[in-house]
Amino acid sequence: MPIRLLSSEVASQIAAGEVIERPASVVKELAENSLDAGARTLTISIAEAGRGLIETADDGRGIPAAEMELAVSRHATSKLARAEDLFHISTLGFRGEALASIGSVSRMTVTSRAAGADSGARLRVEGGISGKVEKVGAPIGTVVRVEDLFYNVPARLKFLKTDVTERRAIDHLVTRYALAYPYVRFKLADGNNVTLQTAGDGDRRAILAALFGVETAKQMLEVLAEEEDLQLSGFISPTSLTRSNRKEITFFINGRWVQDTALNAALMQAYHTLLMVGRYPLTTLFLNLAPEEVDVNVHPAKAEVRFKNQDRVFSFVQRAVRRALLAYAPVPSIPPATLWGGAARSSAPREVGLDWTMASQAEGGEPSAVDSASGQAGSSVVDRPPSTFNFPLLRLIGQVGAAYLIAEGPDGLYLIDQHAAHERVLFEKLMAQYNMKNIPSQALLSPAVVHLPPAQAKLLEEQLGTLQGFGFDVESFGANAFQVRAMPDLFRGSDPSAALRALVEDFEEDEAPLQSVVEARLAGRVCKRLAVKAGRALTLEEQRALLTDLEACESPRTCPHGRPTMIHLSVDMLERQFGRKGAR
Ligand code: ADP
Ligand code: MG
């Protein structure tokens, strides 16, 4: 075939393919246009999961009759004039492509009346062919009606998923936008069935409840952080609330919903060691930064962005989320103030045999024994808001099954898994030493040579530097072989070959792990090997020390692999179980 120019119809269908993939993409583009037009109310109606009909009606500034034809043409936009403008875009749209694309793969009718105009205008586009602009009566704002999506692109239709899936994609999108724009009244209706309606009063929690259900919404933690021009707000789930996939992780950047791998990674790093492997949080986070700091022109559907300074954004998000997570303490259910009856308790004599200690995470993670007799500690306990308590006040009772410690806390009984708890303690110590580049190491009397399978050898090769940081002195020693000359002190007496093999297993898990994740994993691995196993009886001193060490941890409630270190049986629950309460 000779080379020839594509007809404009074919060209625009090709272009539309990039932007309009499924009914939800239409909803996204139309909703973005309404938001750009300053709408306070946005009503979206669909039928047949968007295949039959998608209609958006807004009360935005409208399109002047004289610009109607342009509005549906490709590369026609009111949001961008010069190339330089591309680098400080503050609208959601700017490509001037959405209406043209939608019009080329459906039967579309745009009806609009601009603020200040005394009548409205209507224009119909069918399969990319525009009709004439008609004068009509209409309220100020814009209604876009999209019927028979993909009627002229049967191949696209075949790629659509079931109605349930397509409708869910629309629901998902609209609820997220409703959350991002809490001052806009959103309504989503499927036929006569209103599936979402927001008040537009700015109350994000209420929208969250519509999104996840009241119970879940209540548990979500609020994030609010600011640093220079960076601002992060929104909601994240506590570590007890997770999903098996990333679908509930949502990021908005400057009001735009984007998928960004770096932001996802920052988020996961903030949760690192707090979630079990393969579990993901639920989050809706809104990042705002100067428009110049982010390039939004890197993806046809504007779903990805590029940051000028990715590291800065990454570490900001990671820190902000981590802080919000750590400020939250699910285990203690009543504040110590209640427990001790406030000031009265501070003058009470210390009870013999009680060993109340607490972690004062707010003071840098050092445990401080609370000596109630001094009167001083009592008040400092009362002063601190309960949310900073990372750990309940525990009185050790003993060990059971050579695996668990039993302790009494402010509200019932606590069972502590000695292995998981010890892992957590070792992990935080090791990471602290590692971060200070201060891991004590011991030279082996005779260096050991370890042979590894080629794939593992290659991975180990890449991580020799990291291992060094952990106190290993390991060198390549011919093909797929390594020589171990020194090991961390903690490993004293272990078999070098077994230790190295155990560590390398970890390198296999992730496709492209971040260095800090590799480090944390490595440390987790070390600790798993070294932590006291279940089945070992601990002396009373060892039990005490373990509790005290655990209290000093930044994240005492989970082991580095995300399993819980403790289980809580509340007084309330015990009472119910013994039939003292509730069930007659
Ligand atoms: P873009 O949003 O990238 O500018 P679109 O094809 O989505 O491109 O829209 C083209 C133009 O039509 C917009 O720039 C805007 O001026 C106008 N427009 C589209 N939808 C609306 C609306 N709901 N309200 C007001 N103006 C609109
Ligand atoms: Mg647009």
Side-chain angles (χ1 to χ4, degrees):
M1 270 209 298
I3 301 176
R4 61 195 147 187
L5 274 176
L6 294 171
S7 75
S8 69
E9 272 158 65
V10 177
S12 58
Q13 267 193 22
I14 292 174
E18 289 189 315
V19 187
I20 306 301
E21 198 191 334
R22 60 197 300 191
S25 345
V26 174
V27 177
K28 174 172 183 279
E29 294 297 334
L30 297 183
E32 289 190 350
N33 279 347
S34 298
L35 293 167
D36 278 347
R40 314 297 310 185
T41 306
L42 173 56
T43 304
I44 302 158
S45 316
I46 62 168
E48 296 161 56
R51 259 182 268 244
L53 171 78
I54 295 169
E55 186 183 85
T56 57
D58 68 49
D59 58 355
R61 67 180 71 89
I63 307 172
E67 294 180 12
M68 277 295 248
E69 270 180 56
L70 265 182
V72 302
S73 313
R74 278 181 68 208
H75 309 307
T77 178
S78 57
K79 302 168 191 174
L80 188 79
R82 301 160 307 164
E84 303 94 271
D85 296 346
L86 263 181
F87 299 98
H88 34 89
I89 285 169
S90 55
T91 49
L92 296 169
F94 58 89
R95 299 171 58 95
E97 228 166 24
L99 288 186
S101 293
I102 297 168
S104 74
V105 294
S106 71
R107 303 183 221 273
M108 176 177 81
T109 314
V110 184
T111 309
S112 191
R113 179 171 148 211
D118 29 300
S119 67
R122 174 170 295 160
L123 179 59
R124 210 173 141 80
V125 183
E126 226 182 283
I129 317 277
S130 307
K132 286 242 149 36
V133 179
E134 292 168 61
K135 195 168 157 178
V136 293
I140 291 175
T142 305
V143 177
V144 181
R145 192 176 169 87
V146 178
E147 290 162 290
D148 305 329
L149 182 65
F150 300 136
Y151 79 96
N152 55 346
V153 212
R156 267 280 175 212
L157 271 182
K158 289 210 191 87
F159 277 99
L160 293 187
K161 308 266 168 59
T162 63
D163 275 10
V164 174
T165 307
E166 294 300 338
R167 203 180 307 120
R168 196 181 297 139
I170 295 175
D171 270 343
H172 195 80
L173 182 115
V174 177
T175 31
R176 293 316 182 283
Y177 269 88
L179 254 184
Y181 295 85
Y183 288 99
V184 176
R185 288 166 52 192
F186 279 78
K187 182 172 163 187
L188 174 61
D190 182 355
N192 289 329
N193 185 12
V194 175
T195 54
L196 175 83
Q197 186 150 28
T198 67
D201 60 0
D203 184 354
R204 275 187 172 156
R205 282 265 179 199
I207 306 170
L208 211 57
L211 214 160
F212 294 129
V214 180
E215 269 316 301
T216 301
K218 257 200 252 163
Q219 296 177 51
M220 298 289 278
L221 313 175
E222 191 152 6
V223 178
L224 199 59
E226 226 174 311
E227 215 176 276
E228 294 162 28
D229 62 318
L230 300 173
Q231 199 217 343
L232 188 73
S233 64
F235 298 92
I236 59 173
S237 60
T239 54
S240 52
L241 195 64
T242 57
R243 291 279 188 276
S244 61
N245 56 54
R246 295 165 204 266
K247 284 194 190 133
E248 296 296 352
I249 298 179
T250 311
F251 273 103
F252 275 80
I253 299 174
N254 290 349
R256 182 190 304 281
W257 185 0
V258 295
Q259 271 80 49
D260 187 85
T261 37
L263 288 186
N264 271 326
L267 179 74
M268 290 315 293
Q269 214 175 337
Y271 275 90
H272 190 64
T273 81
L274 301 176
L275 297 183
M276 286 198 213
V277 174
R279 302 300 298 181
Y280 301 91
L282 294 72
T283 61
T284 317
L285 288 167
F286 307 96
L287 174 69
N288 285 310
L289 71 173
E292 297 75 34
E293 291 294 308
V294 46
D295 184 356
V296 293
N297 186 30
V298 294
H299 186 272
K302 302 161 292 181
E304 288 169 17
V305 297
R306 205 172 289 139
F307 294 107
K308 213 182 242 177
N309 187 343
Q310 180 175 305
D311 289 351
R312 188 171 78 105
V313 175
F314 180 100
S315 85
F316 167 68
V317 169
Q318 192 249 333
R319 270 179 288 123
V321 173
R322 186 82 183 178
R323 220 178 296 129
L325 272 177
L326 293 183
Y328 159 78
V331 179
S333 35
I334 52 164
T338 325
L339 175 71
W340 284 342
R345 169 69 208 190
S346 65
S347 56
R350 183 179 185 141
E351 282 168 47
V352 181
L354 280 188
D355 181 21
W356 292 103
T357 52
M358 57 164 285
S360 58
Q361 194 234 336
E363 289 170 3
E366 285 299 308
S368 59
V370 172
D371 183 356
S372 325
S374 72
Q376 205 178 18
S379 56
S380 81
V381 164
V382 175
D383 285 346
R384 221 167 279 137
S387 67
T388 61
F389 284 93
N390 216 6
F391 199 78
L393 311 166
L394 295 183
R395 176 175 70 91
L396 180 66
I397 298 172
Q399 192 189 21
V400 63
Y404 308 103
L405 304 187
I406 314 177
E408 187 193 354
D411 179 31
L413 193 69
Y414 290 77
L415 287 171
I416 293 140
D417 180 315
Q418 67 188 39
H419 175 70
H422 196 209
E423 264 188 277
R424 165 54 68 185
V425 166
L426 288 173
F427 177 77
E428 294 204 2
K429 281 188 181 163
L430 191 66
M431 282 313 281
Q433 288 179 346
Y434 178 74
N435 288 329
M436 293 173 65
K437 309 212 180 323
N438 186 20
I439 293 199
S441 166
Q442 263 211 342
L444 299 180
L445 285 178
S446 55
V449 175
V450 182
H451 292 270
L452 291 176
Q456 288 189 357
K458 190 163 166 292
L459 290 162
L460 179 60
E461 193 97 27
E462 289 164 12
Q463 295 299 340
L464 285 180
T466 315
L467 278 180
Q468 197 99 35
F470 277 103
F472 283 91
D473 185 356
V474 182
E475 268 187 0
S476 274
F477 199 69
N480 305 326
F482 297 88
Q483 189 180 48
V484 187
R485 289 199 300 229
M487 297 220 294
D489 251 6
L490 280 170
F491 262 118
R492 194 189 304 249
S494 306
D495 168 33
S497 153
L500 204 60
R501 277 175 210 282
L503 294 176
V504 170
E505 278 171 30
D506 239 14
F507 295 153
E508 295 180 294
E509 275 175 17
D510 222 340
E511 321 84 64
L514 288 153
Q515 188 57 24
S516 50
V517 173
V518 174
E519 290 158 7
R521 278 227 187 110
L522 200 58
R525 198 87 206 174
V526 172
C527 299
K528 187 173 182 172
R529 284 183 55 83
L530 294 178
V532 287
K533 298 288 179 290
R536 212 189 106 201
L538 302 180
T539 66
L540 198 59
E541 268 68 60
E542 285 174 324
Q543 298 171 27
R544 278 236 170 82
L546 182 54
L547 260 197
T548 313
D549 282 350
L550 190 62
E551 283 164 359
C553 286
E554 206 183 339
S555 313
R557 292 181 312 273
T558 55
C559 82
H561 311 94
R563 283 182 292 279
T565 55
M566 61 177 85
I567 291 176
H568 176 205
L569 304 176
S570 69
V571 170
D572 193 59
M573 191 203 139
L574 292 174
E575 284 183 344
R576 266 174 222 284
Q577 291 292 313
F578 284 114
R580 287 168 174 273
K581 206 172 167 182
R584 279 185 311 126

